[in-house]
Amino acid sequence: MKQDYTIPHPQSVFWENDHLVLLDQRKLPRETVYLHLYTPEEVWDAIVTLAVRGAPAIGIAAVYGLYLGVRHVTGREEIFFSELERMVDYLSSARPTAVNLSWALNRVKTKVESFKGRPVSVLRQAVWEEAKAIHEEDVRVCRKIGEHLLPFLHDGMGILTHCNAGGLATGAYGTALAPLYLAREKGWNLKVYADETRPVLQGSRLTAYELMQAGIDVTLICDNMAGAVMKQEKIQAVIVGTDRVAANGDVANKIGTYSLAVLARAHQIPFYVAAPSSSIDLATETGDGIPIEERPAEEIVSGWGKPTAPEGVRVYNPAFDVTPAEYVTAIITEYGVIRPPYRENLRKCLRQTMTV
Ligand code: MRU
């Protein structure tokens, strides 16, 4: 089931006949390899090893993984629900920081629970329908985020982004990159600067790649160049995605985002966070409560083929950081633009029932 809309970048997650297909993001940009997955264990592994990554994309992959896990379950309803619960816990454990993962899995679980008492075949079908709905909805959500961000941009503007919050990280369009695709549709020429994003290089391998595929003007910089580029007045806005927004507006995103926010403040550059409502976690009071994933040392000392540090060196490799809400100019969701005070306005936003 490839999407029937035209998107300006490769599609990273889709269902084909009876299985899940993922564009292997570990291999980009050099090789275009598709993984064909038939079991929840394969999906779990793809999430852990970053074959699929980006908060919305891992949520989508996980719910298809959930379907793969329960589609052959037969027998009593209790057996179905206990297997569903086990699979939700298992797939949620793949990565801790992006709340979209557990949000998506629990949304499917809640939906299927509303069908209690119906035959197991109906319950299995309900898992499939909700997984598909989450996937299709994400495309509309991302486009809406782009529409709400577009008024902050203008032709010729310089934008800095970090990591990859693009089409590859979502159902389509991305969150932070969505307005860039919409600006392109309008014929604007934005000058995008992509941070390389050490240690796994999502900025250079993925953001630069997908923007170039779409014919968007992108310039790659190393992470430690951001301050100098801002000082040279090449940047008029920073736009990033997020893995989780706490109730007070603190924002978890790829490691290095916090430094960028501080730099943006020092240079009086607006710092925008593109966040689908599925990334907003009102149950977590502040950024201090957001679990930060630590990844293997190899990503830093020998990530890309060659050793880059003395053998045995101690390494600290947090994959995400938290930007305090005070540095965030606005959070842009599918429902619109949220400004401080975030504690109050995030709640108001989530109360909306608007369908996108
Ligand atoms: O470790 P990754 O590549 O999954 O980290 C991804 C990010 O930090 C993205 O900015 C975030 O998930 C938003 S994607 C729309």
Side-chain angles (χ1 to χ4, degrees):
M1 184 197 65
K2 274 229 169 199
Q3 304 288 354
D4 53 6
Y5 43 77
T6 314
I7 52 172
H9 54 74
Q11 197 178 332
S12 59
V13 185
F14 56 95
W15 186 263
E16 193 172 79
N17 304 323
D18 59 348
H19 66 282
L20 178 63
V21 184
L22 298 177
L23 174 57
D24 189 343
Q25 298 191 39
R26 298 166 301 193
K27 300 261 192 324
L28 289 172
R30 287 183 156 263
E31 289 173 74
T32 304
V33 175
Y34 289 94
L35 302 172
H36 295 261
L37 310 184
Y38 293 85
T39 67
E41 290 77 18
E42 288 171 335
V43 176
W44 186 89
D45 190 64
I47 295 172
V48 170
T49 61
L50 309 184
V52 60
R53 34 66 51 203
I58 62 176
I60 295 165
V63 289
Y64 283 129
L66 185 60
Y67 177 64
L68 292 173
V70 298
R71 68 173 162 176
H72 297 307
V73 178
T74 51
R76 293 202 323 273
E77 184 187 89
E78 302 82 75
I79 297 173
F80 178 86
F81 277 110
S82 97
E83 192 54 13
L84 185 76
E85 184 113 18
R86 194 177 72 79
M87 280 294 143
V88 166
D89 290 347
Y90 169 64
L91 288 161
S92 299
S93 74
R95 295 189 77 187
T97 304
V99 72
N100 308 61
L101 184 58
S102 55
W103 169 86
L105 289 161
N106 283 311
R107 174 170 147 176
V108 175
K109 186 173 147 216
T110 306
K111 182 74 185 187
V112 180
E113 279 167 357
S114 73
F115 287 86
K116 260 193 177 144
R118 308 279 298 276
V120 165
S121 59
V122 172
L123 304 178
R124 287 195 310 252
Q125 184 62 19
V127 173
W128 163 249
E129 296 292 344
E130 197 62 7
K132 199 156 60 85
I134 287 172
H135 187 184
E136 289 170 357
E137 194 178 291
D138 188 60
V139 180
R140 296 194 295 276
V141 163
C142 288
R143 218 184 141 96
K144 273 275 167 204
I145 290 173
E147 286 169 14
H148 291 306
L149 260 162
L150 203 55
F152 294 103
L153 313 186
H154 58 77
D155 197 10
M157 192 170 174
I159 313 276
L160 177 63
T161 190
H162 189 67
C163 192
N164 173 262
L168 293 168
T170 61
Y173 300 106
T175 57
L177 301 194
L180 310 183
Y181 290 119
L182 300 195
R184 176 81 189 150
E185 284 176 14
K186 285 168 81 82
W188 292 1
N189 282 314
L190 299 176
K191 293 208 136 320
V192 183
Y193 288 83
D195 269 351
E196 187 180 36
T197 316
R198 279 279 286 153
V200 192
L201 306 179
Q202 290 94 331
S204 57
R205 294 188 305 105
L206 308 175
T207 295
Y209 165 77
E210 69 165 85
L211 292 179
M212 284 177 78
Q213 295 258 317
I216 294 174
D217 179 339
V218 57
T219 302
L220 180 63
I221 59 171
C222 297
D223 302 333
N224 50 3
M225 297 171 187
V229 173
M230 287 183 188
K231 193 153 179 282
Q232 291 159 12
E233 299 182 1
K234 294 185 196 300
I235 308 295
Q236 284 76 53
V238 177
I239 312 178
V240 295
T242 179
D243 290 82
R244 190 186 299 230
V245 179
N248 71 340
D250 289 351
V251 169
N253 191 48
K254 180 52 57 193
I255 190 77
T257 303
Y258 171 42
S259 324
L260 272 193
V262 174
L263 282 170
R265 172 63 55 85
H267 292 88
Q268 292 166 340
I269 296 168
F271 183 87
Y272 300 118
V273 175
S277 58
S278 54
S279 299
I280 299 172
D281 177 15
L282 296 183
T284 299
E285 276 298 310
T286 72
D288 291 344
I290 300 176
I292 299 295
E293 177 183 7
E294 281 189 41
R295 294 197 55 91
E298 289 68 45
E299 287 184 351
I300 293 184
V301 299
S302 62
W304 301 99
K306 287 189 185 143
T308 53
E311 214 177 300
V313 69
R314 188 178 307 117
V315 170
Y316 175 47
N317 185 17
F320 301 94
D321 61 25
V322 174
T323 298
E326 64 188 274
Y327 290 101
V328 178
T329 309
I331 297 172
I332 292 84
T333 72
E334 69 270 32
Y335 298 120
V337 177
I338 305 176
R339 301 257 188 197
Y342 289 120
R343 192 175 287 283
E344 190 183 322
N345 292 340
L346 283 167
R347 260 173 220 286
K348 270 194 205 150
C349 163
L350 287 199
R351 273 203 296 269
Q352 294 191 42
T353 51
M354 177 182 138
T355 44
V356 291

